[in-house]
Amino acid sequence: MFGRKNTANTADAAAEYKTAKKALHDNQRAEKAAGIREETDTFHALNGRVLETEKNVPWYRR
């Protein structure tokens, strides 16, 4: 019940989450530099990806 989760899967999930979050932040910087202040479809897609990958990462690894 309280056993350890597979750390290899957790490490992979954490790496995937980190990659998705970096893509979101890179897009944010690019859109801000271009003068875009509204939420774009790209933003929504990248933000959705971050939220999906976040589910597989424990709170202490975020």
Side-chain angles (χ1 to χ4, degrees), residues 5-52:
K5 292 183 178 181
N6 187 346
T7 11
N9 289 343
T10 304
D12 291 342
E16 190 176 343
Y17 169 72
K18 186 177 180 179
T19 302
K21 196 169 179 184
K22 182 181 179 328
L24 178 64
H25 289 298
D26 290 346
N27 180 65
Q28 177 186 12
R29 281 187 217 94
E31 287 182 352
K32 194 172 185 180
I36 300 170
R37 300 288 184 242
E38 303 84 26
E39 294 179 354
T40 62
D41 291 337
T42 305
F43 166 79
H44 287 289
L46 291 171
N47 194 46
R49 181 71 181 140
V50 170
L51 293 175
E52 277 300 312

